Amino acid sequence: MKKYELRDTAVTLLSRIGDQGGYSHLLLDKTIQTKGFDSRDTALLTEIVYGTLSYKLTLEYFLRQFVNKKLENWARWLLLSAFYQMYILDRVPDHAVIHESVEIAKQRGHKGIASLVNAVLRNVQRKGFPNLDTIQDSAERISLETSHPKWLVERWISQYGEKTAREMCAVNQVEKPISVRVQPMLTTREAAMEELTSQGFTVRASAINPQGIIIEKGNILKSDLFLSNQVTIQDQTSMLAGQMVDAAPGMMVLDACSAPGGKTTHIAETMENEGKLLAYDLHAKKAKQVSQKAEKLKLTIIEANQADARHLQETHAPETFDRILLDAPCSGLGVLRGKPDIKYHKSEQDVLSLASIQAELLHDVAPLLKVGGKLVYSTCTVDKAENEQVVQTFLAEHPNYEVDSAFQQELPAVVQDAPGLSSNGLQIFPQDFDTDGFFLVRLVRKA
């Protein structure tokens, strides 16, 4: 590896993600493969990139206290990434961060910018970072402490209260454990846990889903179980959606917005690969990903195609399906622990626009369910406009539907006392079970 290459690569990635809109996980994965970094350097590069993105607003606030001139983008990201290492990463000595940052500035710029980088970082080392506790406005303080846009903090405070909003913002800054789902036709959870433990992994059984395993230590991507498709990565909350569809062998099931296919394949597994599962996605490329995932998991009942779920009545007759999953496109504000850049690209108007689309989707797939059938509506976001209010509006306009009376009773025991459980569904906050934030409800068609 070239001298200073790791931190210089981090600056390049941050600029491409933060300024040019690149997808963080795709760019990072491609870079790691191309550069051939070892596991230790990969871990540090990932930490610097995701950490700097995750704390961007906090770090930019600090930068404004030390620099009062416009910087070139690369120089701004260089300083922000250096701030992140000095502010958060105790294991990285400040002198190493300062030395490498100055050398990278010399390589990328000129003597003047290198001197500025050196002066700023040594000033920070001497004085320390500004104390955020002195900020009086609570929403602004939470916003800067946890690097969430102020409009979002204010929205969550108004919807869930300051305590819940603060806890949610804080946990969004903490990496969540990876969870996997076993393919029950290929192995059992007990056998998979035993094998992983024998290979040096630290694992525990999920209390939310009987197929779920939480990986507390070990790289599951390199395990034989993952490479042979006996386990697949999926958040526990996402597993809950497939579980609560309550599909059985022989049923006719619709997954209306199915990509990338995690919930689709889970439902097929609960059906023991018997019956028919039609999966759709708005984009043909993503529908193909669902087919590929089904093939890998040896699930033959899934038929994936491209379609806008709002027009499925043109393809299927009314009352075709025993079960429907509508995992609607959403703002993704529940998955900020894994995709921190989402919070900087969304606006309040985006949330409202998505809520309108979600209402349309629910209205348009509802006639396809058989009388007595069950429909699960879910999103991976935390916002009442996209969740409870969509359900409330739908039920008011569709008196032939109601929340399934068995929904709450059939939730896993550990979830039944969740603070977000209401008559309109279950809002899981990321701090509740150390997972993503997620919403789901199960409706039943009465007539």
Side-chain angles (χ1 to χ4, degrees), residues 10-262:
V11 172
T12 300
L13 284 171
L14 287 165
S15 182
R16 292 185 64 187
I17 297 164
D19 298 328
Q20 300 168 30
Y23 291 107
S24 53
H25 59 296
L26 296 179
L27 284 172
L28 193 57
D29 288 348
K30 186 176 179 182
T31 300
I32 289 168
Q33 289 175 12
T34 305
K35 297 277 187 180
F37 290 136
D38 62 24
S39 58
R40 185 177 172 184
D41 288 336
T42 294
L44 182 57
L45 178 67
T46 303
E47 172 75 52
I48 292 173
V49 171
Y50 275 117
T52 304
L53 288 171
S54 189
Y55 278 92
K56 190 181 87 159
L57 297 183
T58 309
L59 302 172
E60 287 179 335
Y61 173 78
F62 291 157
L63 187 61
R64 290 195 292 274
Q65 314 308 309
F66 291 98
V67 178
N68 58 7
K69 61 187 286 187
K70 184 173 173 57
L71 299 172
E72 289 187 58
N73 287 344
W74 69 263
R76 182 168 59 88
W77 285 114
L78 176 64
L79 282 169
L80 293 178
S81 61
F83 280 11
Y84 172 73
Q85 295 167 74
M86 295 169 75
Y87 185 58
I88 298 292
L89 298 186
D90 294 336
R91 66 180 186 275
V92 180
D94 287 355
H95 65 81
V97 176
I98 295 171
H99 172 72
E100 289 213 15
S101 299
V102 171
E103 293 303 316
I104 291 168
K106 286 179 184 174
Q107 291 176 359
R108 283 179 170 255
H110 48 73
K111 189 177 177 182
I113 191 68
S115 297
L116 184 143
V117 167
N118 184 54
V120 169
L121 295 181
R122 292 201 180 281
N123 205 9
V124 170
Q125 190 181 34
R126 255 193 329 272
K127 294 181 178 177
F129 290 101
N131 183 1
L132 301 177
D133 292 339
T134 59
I135 298 172
Q136 296 298 311
D137 183 282
S138 58
E140 183 177 2
R141 189 169 61 253
I142 295 171
S143 166
L144 290 175
E145 285 174 345
T146 65
S147 191
H148 285 65
K150 189 179 178 188
W151 71 265
L152 182 58
V153 176
E154 290 174 333
R155 190 171 174 87
W156 281 346
I157 288 176
S158 71
Q159 294 187 354
Y160 307 113
E162 182 174 328
K163 178 175 180 293
T164 297
R166 174 183 288 281
E167 290 174 351
M168 183 157 41
C169 291
V171 82
N172 279 342
Q173 300 300 93
V174 180
E175 187 179 0
K176 71 180 172 79
I178 289 177
S179 55
V180 296
R181 188 190 82 232
V182 298
Q183 209 298 27
M185 296 166 63
L186 302 178
T187 187
T188 65
R189 178 163 77 173
E190 291 70 26
M193 290 178 67
E194 191 174 328
E195 183 170 343
L196 288 170
T197 302
S198 71
Q199 294 174 4
F201 284 78
T202 302
V203 301
R204 60 185 166 90
S206 166
I208 295 179
N209 188 274
Q211 291 176 238
I213 301 173
I214 299 163
I215 311 296
E216 295 184 329
K217 181 185 171 188
N219 185 352
I220 192 65
L221 297 177
K222 293 186 177 178
S223 75
D224 293 338
L225 284 176
F226 177 78
L227 295 173
S228 61
N229 300 304
Q230 295 182 68
V231 300
T232 184
I233 294 174
Q234 187 176 25
D235 191 74
Q236 294 180 83
T237 55
S238 178
M239 294 181 212
L240 190 55
Q243 178 180 344
M244 292 306 293
V245 168
D246 192 27
M251 282 186 171
M252 184 74 169
V253 179
L254 168 66
D255 186 350
C257 303
S258 61

